[in-house]
Amino acid sequence: MTAPDPETDPEAGTPPADAAPARRHAAGADPAKRAQILEGAARAFLEKGFDAASMEDVRRAAGVSKGTIYVYFADKVELFEALVADKRDRMFADVISLLEEDLPLRAKLTRFGEALSRVLCSEDVIRAQRIVIGAVARMPGMGERFYRVGPSRMHDRLAALFEAEVAAGRLAVPDARMAAVQFIELVSAGVWRRRLFCGPHAGVEEAEIVRTVASAVELLLRAWGRGEARQGLDD
Amino acid sequence: MTAPDPETDPEAGTPPADAAPARRHAAGADPAKRAQILEGAARAFLEKGFDAASMEDVRRAAGVSKGTIYVYFADKVELFEALVADKRDRMFADVISLLEEDLPLRAKLTRFGEALSRVLCSEDVIRAQRIVIGAVARMPGMGERFYRVGPSRMHDRLAALFEAEVAAGRLAVPDARMAAVQFIELVSAGVWRRRLFCGPHAGVEEAEIVRTVASAVELLLRAWGRGEARQGLDD
Amino acid sequence: MTAPDPETDPEAGTPPADAAPARRHAAGADPAKRAQILEGAARAFLEKGFDAASMEDVRRAAGVSKGTIYVYFADKVELFEALVADKRDRMFADVISLLEEDLPLRAKLTRFGEALSRVLCSEDVIRAQRIVIGAVARMPGMGERFYRVGPSRMHDRLAALFEAEVAAGRLAVPDARMAAVQFIELVSAGVWRRRLFCGPHAGVEEAEIVRTVASAVELLLRAWGRGEARQGLDD
Amino acid sequence: MTAPDPETDPEAGTPPADAAPARRHAAGADPAKRAQILEGAARAFLEKGFDAASMEDVRRAAGVSKGTIYVYFADKVELFEALVADKRDRMFADVISLLEEDLPLRAKLTRFGEALSRVLCSEDVIRAQRIVIGAVARMPGMGERFYRVGPSRMHDRLAALFEAEVAAGRLAVPDARMAAVQFIELVSAGVWRRRLFCGPHAGVEEAEIVRTVASAVELLLRAWGRGEARQGLDD
DNA sequence: GATGAATGAGTTTTCATTCAT
DNA sequence: GATGAATGAAAACTCATTCAT
């Protein structure tokens, strides 16, 4: 349940990099070049969006030839899906790991919430999410996978944590998964949605995130906290 | 605070309709034709997205000539922005009006929450939001305006309601705006975000929305409810 | 049997040209523009062949824009097939009509044979046949149609003529269709095949054609001629 | 007149094989590898045609590297011309040899005619001829050479035979070369041309060839046969 | 004032050829 | 000497926009 399971995704991603640095790579199998292309694609797509970015933009940003891109990726869509798959996994891994730390509930939720909110609301990630959302109509599978390995997995992990806390008598939530979903939503309440539609409010986000997460934790504990978990609540 | 302020938007909308109903309209000044074009644009853009829909698609759906479209709208982007502005206002008006009704707090929040959630998560509105979000990079102003007259206005109205309830001693929220933002987020917790990334879960949404709104109301009242507003809570 | 039946071909060709010169044509329906494009396509394809000629070559030769070509023809293949269909019918009509003339058999065969041979071995027609033959693998239907309305129809008409001559006692061919096929082949014996593979032998063709047709007629009449048809044969 | 004269061709073919069989070949000088490449090229070009077959198709079919191909052949055109030169000679050798056999005229012409017709109208050879003909515009030399060592040589050999028969009193042709050309044309009358433009008429060809050759022989002998060569003719 | 045929810049993708390994 | 990854020019085709009718 805690093991990472990236293998559930059809997009295997990088071909097995030889342990011993091979002198010559098979066509489309040089991980460095693949990464270079993905990096250029990230720059081009994040700046302009999927449709507005041309393969020429990608080529220029990646510093490779057009032909080379097509050796590594069958077409523009496949390149984009590979890019999303690549960033996605990296993105959520660190955040989830915070739930494994040995900390009091309040501190753990706060650290997790802030980390999650910071990631999801950072400029690049917001741009990426906008593009993915904008592309869902044409690439439904990609959106589903993004949701599954991102938000959905968060829900699972957090629900498990809540259940453990219930068993330990520190929480009285009647529906752990609902509570998990609500908490995830609350940690970026007002920020994530706004960022999806609006440009960054210069410098505001960090303070807002701290306030928002603190409020989310308080709301949760005030509603469902028991025993030591209620410490510090006025009531 | 409750006054409608559409005039803050640069998109004036319909050109000044002549006071005296002219028999003949100036170029690009026939409101019926304008509406006809917007209707066609809505169909075309909702079905295919901004980039994938061609002006030919719009023309066909609207049943006018290409030239006419360009008389009413300077280019594709302006047409799209006008379309979004047009739908946007209609969309939020009804929902907000529910907050004016004379009902007990719990019922009022439930009705408002369900209505809002149903609107925001309906297939067409989800599609529209995806397209707007996907277009934010290229049309930042449009996203800002959408957020301002949509979610942001919700926050304002709901915060005002909460303040009134605090004044009436039925709520003890320390930060009415934060609570408003949180409530808005909670009423579609787990549904809106998923729908942004995924196709509809056949038939699931309605039941999910009812459950989710009920849980949101309960969470809010359990944390901050006072007096009669706590009726029905076990604790 | 003698009526022209161009309607057997699926390629309807030119849309009905209004008797009264319309001021404005439907998209892709201006016969003059269509002819202009076909003329440019003819120049481009005849010079370079189907694959080697680019749509840019066609555009330049036709003096229209690329977009316009694609309004009139769905793609490169369709343009080419339309071109072939267009030239084909014109090409064979005159030749076949020679068989209807009221002349002694020997003269009729000679005139027909020379006309056919001249057409089939002229530079432009040879180029066209080369391109069609080279394209058969990719457009089998086009090759079949070319053969059907070209050589095959010749066989039919000539076989009918031979049958009439047999009935009139001037010919004793045991198999009129075989004789027709043989005669068609003989009138350009050695010339057509060579021209398919080789460039023009400066100035040789005309004399060669006359000699070849004379020899073909003599061979036929010597083998199967009866009565007056044998006049002038030494044996 | 009967000596092989491949030296008239500029395509020397295999580079000078070292007199002493070297253990190691110079670049582009290994005949086995050259043959292997040509074999792959044959497969690739016959299947797709000159333009549609890519050098990658050739490489795959040949099982060598791209670079190696370019060591043996300067470019795609040269490879194709070498391929055609290679197949060409093989193709006509056997057929011509039939003219050397010691058989009665009628039998000899029949065997020769059928063999020639079968070869020229077989699927692979038809495909090859289509490709060569389609490429004549871009590679005129190749077409010329094909005609010269193919049909043209046939004409020479057959004309020589006819002259011998005239001298022997068995034939009375006034123009042996013309008769030779005519006979060559007649043995595939109606079949070769049709096959150039159309796909195979399932199973028809063999019977048609036999009938056609018989008719060609009969026509020739009926017109010009003398003495024993007229045996079996009704007249 | 409305129309829609024409435009041509710009898109994605292919593939003959080269040259570092 | 062989290899095959990389190249980039060029291809077919699209579509937002204009302007003569």
Side-chain angles (χ1 to χ4, degrees):
Chain A
M1 187 176 275
T2 54
D5 46 0
E7 66 283 1
T8 56
D9 287 319
E11 321 126 344
T14 325
D18 304 343
R23 213 117 297 275
R24 196 71 177 281
H25 288 282
D30 181 344
K33 187 137 286 190
R34 191 186 145 96
Q36 184 184 348
I37 295 171
L38 286 175
E39 179 50 34
R43 278 219 288 279
F45 287 134
L46 283 185
E47 187 184 348
K48 302 193 170 184
F50 177 74
D51 282 289
S54 72
M55 291 301 268
E56 173 61 20
D57 293 329
V58 172
R59 185 207 66 73
R60 192 171 25 247
V64 298
S65 76
K66 282 234 208 99
T68 300
I69 300 179
Y70 282 90
V71 167
Y72 282 77
F73 303 96
D75 55 26
K76 198 186 182 186
V77 167
E78 193 180 299
L79 169 60
F80 182 61
E81 298 202 335
L83 170 64
V84 170
D86 186 67
K87 301 285 180 190
R88 200 186 51 197
D89 299 332
R90 263 198 257 300
M91 208 169 80
F92 292 105
D94 295 347
V95 178
I96 283 188
S97 71
L98 292 178
L99 288 179
E100 323 291 340
E101 288 190 4
D102 192 19
L103 280 173
L105 182 57
R106 173 181 287 263
K108 186 186 281 191
L109 290 177
T110 302
R111 290 201 55 189
F112 167 77
E114 290 183 356
L116 176 59
S117 201
R118 275 187 202 108
V119 167
L120 287 184
C121 299
S122 69
E123 182 60 15
D124 271 9
V125 175
I126 279 292
R127 286 185 184 211
Q129 291 173 97
R130 282 188 198 134
I131 300 172
V132 170
I133 289 168
V136 161
R138 249 181 311 169
M139 314 175 208
M142 193 190 53
E144 305 253 3
R145 280 194 292 278
F146 189 93
Y147 185 78
R148 184 144 33 84
V149 318
S152 191
R153 197 177 316 183
M154 298 285 175
H155 297 158
D156 296 339
R157 303 303 157 94
L158 193 55
L161 173 68
F162 284 174
E163 274 161 15
E165 295 293 315
V166 168
R170 286 187 292 268
L171 231 44
V173 291
D175 180 342
R177 195 154 213 286
M178 173 67 84
V181 168
Q182 288 172 329
F183 185 74
I184 297 281
E185 222 69 48
L186 287 171
V187 294
S188 57
V191 185
W192 186 68
R193 193 192 302 246
R194 190 186 71 227
R195 289 294 279 106
L196 235 31
F197 288 100
C198 308
H201 283 202
V204 185
E205 263 85 35
E206 176 54 23
E208 210 175 354
I209 285 172
V210 171
R211 268 197 337 117
T212 303
V213 171
S215 181
V217 172
E218 167 143 16
L219 180 56
L220 183 88
L221 295 184
R222 184 173 288 273
W224 308 115
R226 292 295 175 271
E228 63 193 274
R230 289 193 75 87
Q231 278 182 359
L233 298 182
D234 50 20
D235 183 7
Chain B
M1 187 176 276
T2 53
D5 46 1
E7 67 283 0
T8 58
D9 287 322
E11 321 128 343
T14 323
D18 304 343
R23 216 114 298 274
R24 198 70 176 278
H25 289 282
D30 181 345
K33 188 143 284 190
R34 190 186 145 95
Q36 186 184 348
I37 295 171
L38 287 176
E39 181 48 35
R43 278 218 290 276
F45 287 133
L46 275 188
E47 188 185 348
K48 303 195 170 184
F50 177 75
D51 282 287
S54 71
M55 290 301 269
E56 172 61 20
D57 292 328
V58 172
R59 185 208 64 72
R60 191 172 25 247
V64 300
S65 78
K66 285 243 200 86
T68 300
I69 299 179
Y70 281 89
V71 167
Y72 283 78
F73 303 95
D75 55 26
K76 197 185 182 187
V77 167
E78 193 180 299
L79 169 60
F80 182 63
E81 299 202 337
L83 168 65
V84 170
D86 185 67
K87 299 288 179 187
R88 202 184 50 196
D89 301 332
R90 262 198 259 298
M91 203 170 83
F92 292 105
D94 295 347
V95 178
I96 283 188
S97 71
L98 292 178
L99 288 178
E100 322 291 343
E101 290 189 2
D102 190 20
L103 280 174
L105 182 57
R106 171 180 288 262
K108 186 186 283 192
L109 291 177
T110 302
R111 289 201 57 188
F112 168 76
E114 290 183 357
L116 176 58
S117 202
R118 272 184 205 112
V119 168
L120 288 184
C121 299
S122 69
E123 182 60 17
D124 269 10
V125 175
I126 279 292
R127 285 186 186 208
Q129 291 174 96
R130 283 188 197 134
I131 299 172
V132 170
I133 289 168
V136 162
R138 253 182 304 172
M139 314 173 207
M142 190 191 55
E144 304 255 3
R145 281 193 291 278
F146 188 93
Y147 186 78
R148 184 142 36 82
V149 319
S152 191
R153 195 177 315 183
M154 299 283 177
H155 297 159
D156 296 341
R157 303 302 157 92
L158 192 55
L161 173 68
F162 284 174
E163 275 161 13
E165 295 292 314
V166 168
R170 285 188 292 267
L171 231 42
V173 291
D175 181 341
R177 196 158 213 287
M178 173 67 83
V181 168
Q182 288 172 328
F183 185 75
I184 297 281
E185 222 68 50
L186 288 172
V187 295
S188 58
V191 185
W192 186 68
R193 193 192 301 245
R194 191 186 70 225
R195 286 297 278 108
L196 236 31
F197 288 101
C198 308
H201 283 203
V204 185
E205 264 84 37
E206 176 54 25
E208 212 176 353
I209 284 173
V210 171
R211 269 200 334 121
T212 303
V213 171
S215 181
V217 172
E218 167 145 17
L219 180 57
L220 183 88
L221 295 185
R222 183 172 289 273
W224 307 115
R226 290 297 174 269
E228 63 192 273
R230 288 194 75 87
Q231 279 182 358
L233 298 183
D234 51 19
D235 184 5
Chain C
M1 185 176 276
T2 53
D5 46 359
E7 67 284 0
T8 57
D9 286 320
E11 321 126 345
T14 325
D18 304 343
R23 214 116 296 273
R24 195 72 176 281
H25 288 282
D30 181 343
K33 188 137 287 192
R34 190 185 145 96
Q36 185 184 348
I37 295 170
L38 286 175
E39 179 50 33
R43 277 218 289 278
F45 286 134
L46 283 185
E47 186 183 351
K48 302 194 170 183
F50 177 75
D51 283 289
S54 72
M55 290 301 268
E56 171 62 20
D57 293 329
V58 172
R59 184 206 66 73
R60 192 171 25 245
V64 298
S65 76
K66 258 206 239 135
T68 300
I69 300 179
Y70 282 92
V71 167
Y72 282 77
F73 303 96
D75 55 27
K76 198 185 181 187
V77 167
E78 193 179 299
L79 169 60
F80 182 61
E81 299 203 336
L83 170 65
V84 170
D86 185 67
K87 301 286 181 190
R88 199 187 51 197
D89 299 332
R90 263 196 257 300
M91 205 170 82
F92 292 105
D94 296 346
V95 178
I96 283 188
S97 72
L98 292 178
L99 288 178
E100 322 292 341
E101 290 190 1
D102 191 19
L103 282 174
L105 182 58
R106 172 181 289 262
K108 186 185 283 190
L109 290 178
T110 301
R111 290 201 55 188
F112 168 76
E114 289 183 356
L116 175 60
S117 203
R118 274 186 203 110
V119 168
L120 286 184
C121 299
S122 69
E123 182 60 16
D124 271 8
V125 175
I126 279 293
R127 288 186 183 210
Q129 290 174 95
R130 284 188 197 134
I131 299 172
V132 170
I133 289 168
V136 161
R138 247 179 313 168
M139 315 174 207
M142 193 191 52
E144 304 255 4
R145 280 194 291 277
F146 188 93
Y147 185 79
R148 186 144 33 84
V149 319
S152 190
R153 197 178 314 186
M154 299 283 176
H155 297 158
D156 296 340
R157 303 302 157 93
L158 192 55
L161 173 69
F162 283 174
E163 272 160 16
E165 296 293 314
V166 167
R170 287 188 291 268
L171 231 42
V173 291
D175 180 344
R177 197 156 213 287
M178 172 68 83
V181 168
Q182 288 172 328
F183 185 74
I184 297 281
E185 222 69 49
L186 286 171
V187 294
S188 58
V191 186
W192 185 69
R193 194 191 301 244
R194 191 186 71 227
R195 289 293 281 109
L196 235 31
F197 289 99
C198 307
H201 283 202
V204 184
E205 263 86 36
E206 177 53 23
E208 210 176 354
I209 284 172
V210 172
R211 269 197 337 117
T212 303
V213 171
S215 181
V217 172
E218 166 144 18
L219 180 56
L220 183 88
L221 295 184
R222 183 173 289 275
W224 306 116
R226 289 297 175 270
E228 61 193 274
R230 288 193 76 86
Q231 278 182 359
L233 297 182
D234 50 19
D235 183 6
Chain D
M1 188 175 275
T2 53
D5 46 1
E7 67 283 359
T8 57
D9 288 321
E11 321 129 342
T14 322
D18 303 344
R23 215 114 297 275
R24 198 69 176 280
H25 289 282
D30 181 343
K33 187 143 284 189
R34 190 185 143 94
Q36 185 184 348
I37 295 170
L38 287 175
E39 180 49 35
R43 279 218 289 276
F45 287 132
L46 275 188
E47 187 184 348
K48 302 194 170 184
F50 177 75
D51 283 288
S54 71
M55 290 301 269
E56 172 61 21
D57 292 329
V58 173
R59 186 207 65 71
R60 191 171 28 245
V64 299
S65 78
K66 284 244 201 85
T68 300
I69 298 178
Y70 281 89
V71 168
Y72 282 78
F73 303 95
D75 56 26
K76 198 185 182 186
V77 168
E78 193 181 299
L79 169 59
F80 182 63
E81 299 202 336
L83 168 64
V84 170
D86 185 68
K87 299 288 179 188
R88 201 184 52 197
D89 300 333
R90 261 198 259 299
M91 206 170 79
F92 293 104
D94 295 348
V95 179
I96 284 189
S97 71
L98 293 178
L99 289 177
E100 321 291 342
E101 289 189 3
D102 191 19
L103 281 172
L105 182 57
R106 171 180 288 262
K108 186 185 283 191
L109 290 178
T110 302
R111 288 201 56 188
F112 167 77
E114 290 182 356
L116 176 59
S117 201
R118 274 185 203 111
V119 167
L120 287 184
C121 299
S122 69
E123 181 62 17
D124 270 9
V125 176
I126 279 293
R127 286 186 186 207
Q129 290 173 100
R130 283 188 197 134
I131 299 172
V132 170
I133 289 168
V136 161
R138 256 182 302 173
M139 315 173 207
M142 190 191 57
E144 304 255 3
R145 283 194 290 278
F146 188 93
Y147 185 78
R148 184 143 35 81
V149 319
S152 191
R153 196 177 313 182
M154 299 284 177
H155 297 158
D156 296 341
R157 304 303 157 92
L158 192 55
L161 172 68
F162 284 172
E163 276 161 14
E165 296 292 314
V166 168
R170 286 188 292 268
L171 231 43
V173 291
D175 179 342
R177 196 157 212 286
M178 174 67 83
V181 168
Q182 288 172 328
F183 185 75
I184 297 282
E185 222 68 49
L186 287 171
V187 295
S188 57
V191 185
W192 185 68
R193 193 193 301 246
R194 191 186 69 225
R195 288 294 279 108
L196 236 31
F197 287 100
C198 307
H201 284 201
V204 185
E205 264 85 36
E206 175 55 24
E208 210 175 354
I209 285 173
V210 171
R211 269 198 336 118
T212 303
V213 171
S215 181
V217 173
E218 167 144 17
L219 180 57
L220 182 88
L221 295 185
R222 184 173 288 274
W224 307 115
R226 291 295 175 273
E228 62 192 273
R230 289 193 74 87
Q231 277 183 357
L233 298 181
D234 51 19
D235 182 7

